[in-house]
Structures are given as structure tokens and as C-alpha cells.
């Protein structure tokens, strides 16, 4: 752990500059708006250790894989989000000396991420020696309203400097990804254009022909007066900078306003990129930094109205949950169905910025509860638009007849991950996508998605499951061989309980959905049958047989579901048996030793129980939790939240809180010593669920909301809002009462600890605890 950040309700604060923390801070203080994102790199040059990172959603590069591409079925490339042209750069020189925080003496350094209003601010004094001292205050935001705009206000005050100062705002497209094969660069120059105070760099990717125009417009004030005069221009390949030189003396203040527009070929035609950028810059320049920021800050405050969680009595917990919600809201806004959520969001290069099953299993429930339903619907439409690619992915592996295998990792629907045990065996992601359709439909009540898009996806996935299982004469059951469950510490196993469960449930859900559409809209069902050549009698008949005869490994003596066949042959140790020096095992043990051990990376059996909790009695859940949780090392960031929710349900309040702490401040305190690579964006959704479904006990039963809350002993109060269909509900929990309010919407019936309440709009009901 690395606890160097100050605790605060609404801000992330770093006081004092430690170069060893710089990469971590670049991740933690990142900004984004769902379309562009920027690590917290410095505006001025910095020669210390740094991961430069500016990313554009949907712009990627198919880098050649180093392993496996020559084998049938292997992906030919690994897709990665590209480090895009640097738009934040403002080089500063005082006299002949560069402002570089790795070279000058730094005092009073403070960096603040204001989550309530969505901006990053930094201040420090820089001592160059020779009686030259300046004070810098920099503030920037990426507009949540204007999806292609970033803004910077950079102030320099002379404390003891009487010299020339040169200021060079620039755009630099000569960038590289840290994980590039053989240091390859991915951008080619198309054009560099400029006029005083304004510049444009247009590039294209070497593959796929994405075009991007990164542009800037700036103005400079000295002591509140606009500076006019000569601008010296420096242009080189993929770069343009414009330098303004001024005299500076003690107490002088120079302010640079820099506006950057980032336009690209996914949103504009190639021949209009510069025009579009110019229009954005001109509008922004005319409004000015302060007005743009006010509009941006107000938009963020509106976001918090629906999604905030309040915690009183524990500032560290309050800061953590708001940080997680903030990062989720600035990573994905749901206004573009072509976009999705990378596990690191816009905060780092790891995982390539690609889409994983994390979206459907963890993120979609967060957006269902905090945003308009169109946000979650667009996440589902993203998968629907990739259905044909999913069918092609399955065909590469020998599946036929319209069977679909959605990719484990993707940018465009095509599989781009080349670890066999994950790419081709971790097929449970098909089930997560099907479950997301079910989750969306039951939560929103929107049946039109299922009718217009979802059923087609379900049938394609069901066709895959029907071919992926085989009938075992020895067991007289259908079995599934050679898979990897969510627990990636067991590969190539037979009859993984979770995978078999997801396959069986999906087939059953698809059959029920077919019946529903047949009744509700027979003409639409007929059109779908013809479109996909669906033989209902033959195909659905087989699916029913599989559902009725699926094999589920179980230990009857212990009364637990087995992770997979042979699990009881392992040496059944617990995490308490591990030596501290063996943790984490994924960094200390060989992969061979991990695979032969009983230790679990993340919830597997418990993941299935969590998703279908209503199907199991509390005693069954308890037996499985008590058996598997002590064997779980939680070395996946996605693990603790599921355990938290189940522990809370079982009344294991201290265990629930202990597990919650593992996920809440995972990045802020750098539990896994890896935040320098980027944040765990998708697991942040699990942190939200830990409070709402875990401590709040929220469940949807028969289309009605149920809450069974408790409050952690260290908290005085917590509250959260949830959107449910046409209502906004607020739940507030203290040590002696629960208050449920209908903030907005139609009359609603809810249950609190089993007690029924009918609540009208603007009305509250109070439940007193024993």
C-alpha cells in the first residue's frame, strides 16, 4: 500500500512532490469525458519518470501479436488504444532555464482533483537558483458538455524573477505507446497548419486509417491585460509550437488560456476535421475559460444528483466511493453506442483499452441504477452491432449455423486476445452478455430491446452453447469440457459449475423469450425467424433437452457446488495457510503451482450464486460461501464486491466490511502496487454495488424493490439514490433508522426489511431499527 493522498470528502489531494509517486498520480488524477481522456501529465516539460497518455475513445491500433498468430483460430493482432497527440503541452523557460520539475527546486506542491466539479488543479513554487523563483497555478478540465474539447488555465507569478520568460504552447503528435512492439510509432503526418495563436496537427494511423486533428487556440494575459506581439513558430514532423516572449519582474502575473479541440474521423468526414476543430476552438475562445468551466461544473453537479453516495463518519470511505463513481462517470457517458468501457478507462495502456465481459457483469448494473436507461441500452446495442463479428469468431473455431461467441477482448467485435486458456476457454462471457439483456429488461421494464435486438443475440449465443456441450454416456448428462471460469487460476477444466450454469440458464431464458415474442408480436417473431433461418422445433427442442439434462458437479457430503470436476482432489488449504511472503501468489508462484492449488483468483461458484440468488436457500448460500471464501485470494479486482454482497446477505457484517475495504480504496491506496499502469475502472462499479446491494441489501423481486440494509459500525450514516423505471429513490441509513424517499416519479411500492411501504412522489417513509 502507498497512502500518500490526503483524505477529503470531495477532493483527491496530493501535498508535496515525490517523483516516485508521479506515475501513480498520473493515473489517479486523470480526467475524461467518455470520449477523450488524459492522464495527469504536467503541462510543462518533465524529464522524470512518466507515462504520457492522452486517449481517444474508439481510436485503436491492431498491433501484431507476438504469440500464437500462426495457429488456426488465434487472433492475428492485439488491439490497443493509442497514445494520441499531446494537447496539454505548455513549455516554460525563465531566462535560459527550462521549467522542469525534475530539475528545479520545488516547494508548496499541491495537486487536487475536484470530483464535484470535474477539474484538476496544481500549484507549486519553482526555485531556479540565482534569485529566480516563480509560482505556478494550473487548472484544466475536459468538457463534459463539449465532447471534443479540453481547456487549460496556466498562471505564472514572479516571486523573485526579473528576466525574460518564454511560453510555448504546442501540439505534439510524435508520441509512442509504452507497450508498442519494438518501439513502433503508430501515427503518420497528414498536415500541419497554423496562424498566430492557433495551430492544427492532422495525423492518421498507419493501419485502419483513423484520422485525427488535434488543435489549439490560446491567448496570454499579463497582469490582466491581453498580450499582443510577435509569435515565433517552431514546426517539425507531427509538431507545432508557438513561442511568446515577455519580460517579467516580481509580482507580475502571466496567464495562459489554452483551448484544445480533438476531432476525428469517427465523428467527422476526413475533409472537415480542421473545419470542425476550428469551429469548436472559436466557440470556446469566445465564451472564455471561466464561462466554459461554469457550464462544465454545473453539468457535473447534475450527474452527482443521481449517482452520489453519502457516507458520514468515515472520510476515507466517503472519498473512495466518490472517486470510484467519478471515474465511472467520466469514462462512459452512454451517448454513443459505438463506445464501451475499457478496464483502465482513459487512465493507462494496460489491457489495451478494449472491451471485456466486465462491462456486462459489473458496469451495466451501475449505469442501470444511476443513469437514464438509454445509457445501459447503448451498452447492449454495442454488442448487438457486433453480432456478426461474434458469429465469425465462432466460425473460426468450427461452430456453424449462426452460433456466436462474443470476444473476450475486443475493439470492433473481433477477438484480439491470444492467451488460449482465456480467449477460447473463458466462454462464460457469452453468458454475461445474455444476463445483461435479462438484467436490463427486468430492471427497466423495456421489452422493446429484447424484441428488436436482444432475442437475436440470445438465439445466436444459444446456438453456440448447444454445440459447445456434448452428451456424456457415462454420466447420462450434457457436459462441457475444456473451459476456464471467471477464476483464471484453473484452466482447461471440465464441467466448471459456473459455465455450465450460465449455458443452461441462457438456453432456458432464450426459450422463454421466444415464447414471449410469439405471443406479443407474432409478425416480428416471424420476421426474425426468416432473417436468421431459425428452426424452432429442431433447435429449441434440443435446447430444452440440454437444460433438463445439464451436469452440475456437486459434493453431496459437504452440500457445496464444485468449481469443476476434480476440485476435491486438490490439497484443500485456506488463505490463512499461505505465508505472507507468498502473497500475491500471481507474482510469487509459478503458473504450474497456481493451477494445481485450490486457491481462487475471484468468485466463480459464488458469482453464479450471486447472479441467481433467488434460486438458492440461505443455507445453501452459506455452505458455499463458507467453503470457497477462505480459499479466495482476491487477486482480481472484480472479486471482493461479489463476496461483500453475499457476506452482507448472510449477516457476516464484519466480513462484508473487510471485503469492501479491499475494493473501495484499491487504487487510492494502491493495494496491488500497480496503479501506475492505470486505474481499475470496471471494478469500481463493483464498489458501488457493494454498498447498494451489499450494505443496502437492494434486490429486485417480482418487479419490486426490496431493501434489507445495515450500517457498518464505523459509519454514522450513508445514503444512496437509485433510479428505477420512472422513479428516483433515495435510501438513507443510520444506526437506528432507515428512511426511503420517492424523490421523483410515480407512486411506488417498496419493501424495507420485509415491511411493505407505498410511497408517493416527494414522500418519505421511516423504518426504525430494533
Amino acid at each position: 500500500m502507498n497512502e500518500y493522498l490526503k483524505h477529503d470528502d470531495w477532493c483527491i489531494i496530493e501535498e508535496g512532490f515525490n517523483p516516485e509517486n508521479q506515475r501513480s498520480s498520473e493515473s489517479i488524477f486523470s480526467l475524461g469525458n467518455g470520449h477523450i481522456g488524459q492522464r495527469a501529465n504536467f503541462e510543462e516539460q518533465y524529464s522524470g519518470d512518466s507515462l504520457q497518455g492522452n486517449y481517444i475513445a474508439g481510436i485503436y491500433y491492431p498491433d501484431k501479436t507476438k504469440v500464437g498468430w500462426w495457429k488456426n483460430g488465434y487472433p492475428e493482432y492485439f488491439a490497443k488504444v493509442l497514445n494520441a497527440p499531446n494537447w496539454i503541452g505548455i513549455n516554460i523557460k525563465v531566462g535560459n532555464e527550462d521549467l522542469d520539475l525534475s530539475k528545479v527546486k520545488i516547494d508548496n506542491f499541491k495537486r487536487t482533483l475536484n470530483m464535484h466539479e470535474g477539474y484538476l488543479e496544481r500549484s507549486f513554487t519553482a526555485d531556479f537558483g540565482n534569485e529566480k523563483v516563480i509560482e505556478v497555478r494550473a487548472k484544466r478540465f475536459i468538457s463534459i458538455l463539449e465532447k471534443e474539447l479540453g481547456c487549460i488555465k496556466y498562471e505564472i507569478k514572479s516571486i523573485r524573477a526579473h528576466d525574460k520568460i518564454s511560453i510555448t504552447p504546442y501540439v505534439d503528435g510524435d508520441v509512442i505507446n509504452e507497450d508498442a512492439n519494438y518501439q513502433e510509432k503508430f501515427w503518420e503526418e497528414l498536415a500541419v497548419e497554423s496562424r498566430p495563436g492557433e495551430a492544427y496537427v492532422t495525423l492518421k494511423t498507419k493501419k485502419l486509417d483513423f484520422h485525427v486533428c488535434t488543435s489549439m487556440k490560446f491567448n496570454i494575459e499579463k497582469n490582466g491585460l491581453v498580450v499582443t506581439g510577435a509569435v515565433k513558430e517552431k514546426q517539425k514532423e507531427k509538431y507545432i509550437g508557438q513561442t511568446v516572449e515577455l519580460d517579467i519582474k516580481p509580482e507580475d502575473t502571466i496567464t495562459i488560456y489554452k483551448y484544445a479541440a480533438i476531432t476525428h474521423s469517427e465523428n467527422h468526414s476526413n475533409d472537415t476535421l480542421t473545419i470542425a476543430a476550428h469551429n469548436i476552438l472559436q466557440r470556446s475562445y469566445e465564451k472564455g475559460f471561466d464561462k466554459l468551466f461554469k457550464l462544465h461544473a454545473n453539468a457535473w453537479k447534475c450527474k452527482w444528483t443521481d449517482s452520489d453516495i453519502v457516507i458520514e463518519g468515515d472520510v476515507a470511505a466517503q472519498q473512495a466511493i466518490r472517486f470510484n463513481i467519478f471515474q465511472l462517470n467520466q469514462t462512459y457517458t452512454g451517448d454513443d453506442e459505438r463506445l464501451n468501457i475499457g478496464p483502465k478507462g482513459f487512465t493507462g495502456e494496460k489491457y489495451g483499452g478494449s472491451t471485456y465481459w466486465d462491462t456486462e457483469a459489473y458496469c451495466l448494473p451501475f449505469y442501470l441504477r444511476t443513469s437514464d436507461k438509454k445509457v445501459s441500452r447503448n451498452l447492449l446495442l454495442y454488442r448487438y452491432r457486433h453480432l456478426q463479428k461474434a458469429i465469425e469468431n465462432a466460425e473460426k473455431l468450427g461452430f456453424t449455423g449462426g452460433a456466436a461467441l462474443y470476444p473476450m477482448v475486443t475493439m470492433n467485435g473481433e477477438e484480439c486476445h491470444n492467451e488460449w486458456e482465456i480467449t477460447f476457454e473463458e466462454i462464460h462471457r457469452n453468458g454475461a452478455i445474455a444476463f445483461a439483456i435479462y438484467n436490463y429488461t427486468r430492471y427497466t421494464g423495456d421489452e422493446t430491446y429484447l424484441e428488436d435486438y436482444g432475442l437475436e443475440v440470445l438465439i445466436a449465443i444459444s446456438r453456440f452453447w448447444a454445440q459447445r456441450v456434448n452428451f456424456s454416456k457415462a454420466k447420462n448428462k450434457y457436459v462441457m469440457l475444456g473451459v476456464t471460469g471467471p477464476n483464471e487460476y484453473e484452466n482447461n477444466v471440465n464441467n466448471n459449475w459456473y459455465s455450465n450454469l450460465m449455458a443452461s440458464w441462457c438456453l432456458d431464458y432464450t426459450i422463454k423469450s421466444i415464447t414471449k415474442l410469439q405471443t406479443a408480436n407474432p409478425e416480428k417473431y416471424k420476421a426474425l425467424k426468416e432473417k436468421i433461418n431459425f428452426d424452432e422445433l429442431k433447435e429449441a427442442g434440443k435446447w430444452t433437452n440440454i437444460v433438463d439434462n445439464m451436469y452440475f458437479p456437486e459434493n453431496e457430503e459437504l452440500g457445496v457446488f464444485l468449481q469443476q470436476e476434480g476440485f476435491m482432489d486438490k490439497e484443500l488449504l485456506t488463505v490463512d495457510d499461505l505465508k505472507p511472503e507468498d502473497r500475491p501468489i500471481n507474482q510469487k508462484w509459478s503458473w504450474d503451482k497456481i493451477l494445481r492449488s485450490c486457491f481462487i483468483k475471484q468468485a466463480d461458484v459464488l458469482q453464479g450464486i450471486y447472479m441467481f440468488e433467488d434460486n438458492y436457500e440461505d443455507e445453501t448460500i452459506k455452505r458455499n460461501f463458507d467453503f470457497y471464501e477462505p480459499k479466495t485470494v482476491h487477486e482480481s479486482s472484480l472479486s471482493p464486491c461479489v463476496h461483500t454482497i453475499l457476506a452482507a446477505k448472510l449477516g457476516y457484517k464484519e466480513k462484508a466490511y473487510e471485503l469492501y475495504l479491499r475494493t473501495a480504496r484499491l487504487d487510492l491506496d494502491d493495494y496491488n502496487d500497480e496503479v501506475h499502469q492505470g486505474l481499475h475502472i470496471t471494478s469500481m462499479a463493483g464498489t458501488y454495488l457493494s454498498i447498494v446491494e451489499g450494505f443496502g441489501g437492494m434486490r429486485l423481486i417480482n418487479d419490486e424493490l426490496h431493501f434489507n440494509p445495515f450500517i457498518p459500525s464505523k459509519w454514522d450514516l450513508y445514503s444512496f439514490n437509485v433510479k428505477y423505471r420512472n422513479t428516483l429513490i433515495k435510501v438513507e441509513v443510520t444506526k437506528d433508522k432507515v428512511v426511503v424517499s420517492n424523490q421523483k416519479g410515480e407512486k411506488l411500492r417498496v419493501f424495507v426489511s420485509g415491511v411493505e411501504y407505498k410511497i408517493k412522489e416527494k414522500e418519505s417513509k421511516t423504518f426504525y431499527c430494533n
Side-chain angles (χ1 to χ4, degrees), residues 211 264-274:
H211 289 219
H264 56 85
S265 53
E266 292 294 277
N267 294 335
H268 308 274
S269 61
N270 290 343
D271 58 353
T272 63
L273 291 183
T274 303

Side-chain angles (χ1 to χ4, degrees), residues 516-571:
K516 183 182 290 186
L517 184 57
Q518 282 176 320
T519 303
N521 197 325
E523 289 301 315
K524 188 173 287 187
Y525 175 66
K526 180 181 178 182
L528 176 60
K529 279 184 63 175
E530 293 175 355
K531 175 183 178 182
I532 63 176
N533 193 27
F534 180 57
D535 187 333
E536 177 190 326
L537 186 63
K538 179 180 178 181
E539 295 188 70
K542 182 179 179 181
W543 299 349
T544 300
N545 189 36
I546 294 171
V547 171
D548 292 341
N549 295 282
M550 181 69 81
Y551 175 69
F552 295 98
E554 184 175 355
N555 184 291
E556 294 182 0
E557 181 181 349
L558 296 176
V560 298
F561 307 123
L562 292 183
Q563 289 248 123
Q564 71 273 335
E565 286 188 283
F567 185 81
M568 299 302 292
D569 294 332
K570 295 173 177 282
E571 185 180 8

Side-chain angles (χ1 to χ4, degrees), residues 248-492:
I248 192 171
K249 63 181 185 299
E251 299 305 315
D252 281 348
T253 298
I254 295 172
T255 305
I256 305 106
Y257 295 98
K258 182 178 182 182
Y259 308 92
I262 302 170
T263 56
H264 56 85
S265 53
E266 292 294 277
N267 294 335
H268 308 274
S269 61
N270 290 343
D271 58 353
T272 63
L273 291 183
T274 303
I275 296 171
H278 171 76
N279 291 339
I280 294 169
L281 291 176
Q282 193 61 35
R283 289 197 306 269
S284 303
Y285 189 83
E286 290 171 359
K287 287 181 180 178
F289 183 93
D290 291 340
K291 184 175 181 179
L292 289 168
F293 174 71
K294 184 177 181 179
L295 293 169
H296 165 82
N298 287 338
W300 262 109
K301 290 174 185 176
C302 291
K303 279 185 172 290
W304 284 112
T305 299
D306 293 341
S307 61
D308 190 22
I309 290 180
V310 175
I311 298 172
E312 294 182 3
D314 188 340
V315 176
Q318 177 67 91
Q319 181 186 48
I321 190 60
R322 282 184 172 146
F323 178 69
N324 293 336
I325 294 169
F326 175 73
Q327 293 295 346
L328 285 161
N329 279 330
Q330 70 170 2
T331 298
Y332 185 76
T333 58
D335 58 359
D336 189 336
E337 67 184 50
R338 299 171 300 173
L339 303 180
N340 208 276
I341 305 160
K344 296 293 182 185
F346 298 116
T347 69
E349 297 176 10
K350 192 175 181 182
Y351 301 121
S354 302
T355 301
Y356 284 62
W357 73 292
D358 306 17
T359 292
E360 284 76 25
Y362 298 90
C363 296
L364 183 131
F366 167 78
Y367 294 108
L368 275 176
R369 290 157 174 77
T370 62
S371 306
D372 187 89
K373 70 179 182 181
K374 69 180 182 181
V375 174
S376 300
R377 186 182 175 95
N378 276 346
L379 284 174
L380 298 181
L381 283 171
Y382 176 88
R383 294 295 193 179
Y384 177 77
R385 304 301 183 206
H386 289 171
L387 177 57
Q388 185 55 43
K389 287 286 188 181
I391 292 171
E392 293 170 10
N393 291 335
E395 288 174 347
K396 293 174 183 177
L397 302 182
F399 294 87
T400 59
L405 175 58
Y406 276 91
M408 186 65 186
V409 178
T410 193
M411 284 288 191
N412 67 349
E414 188 174 17
E415 180 64 73
C416 59
H417 191 287
N418 71 330
E419 293 180 60
W420 180 270
E421 67 276 10
I422 294 175
T423 304
F424 305 106
E425 293 189 344
E426 208 165 323
I427 53 178
H428 62 82
R429 75 257 192 175
N430 255 9
I433 291 166
F435 187 81
I437 297 170
Y438 164 74
N439 211 4
Y440 170 84
T441 303
R442 68 171 180 149
Y443 196 85
T444 64
D446 177 13
E447 296 284 347
T448 61
Y449 179 82
L450 184 64
E451 296 174 359
D452 295 338
Y453 309 105
L455 183 55
E456 186 176 350
V457 172
L458 292 174
I459 290 173
I461 290 174
S462 293
R463 283 169 163 173
F464 171 82
W465 290 128
Q467 295 177 49
R468 188 58 175 79
V469 301
N470 61 275
F471 188 77
S472 166
K473 290 184 178 180
K475 289 183 171 62
N476 198 33
K477 294 282 185 179
Y478 284 94
V479 298
M480 199 179 320
L481 310 177
V483 301
T484 299
N487 172 33
E488 294 171 342
Y489 286 178
E490 292 173 317
N491 301 156
N492 198 35

Side-chain angles (χ1 to χ4, degrees), residues 685-700:
T687 306
Y688 172 90
L689 295 175
S690 293
I691 293 181
V692 173
E693 295 185 2
F695 305 153
M698 177 181 163
R699 300 292 189 274
L700 183 61

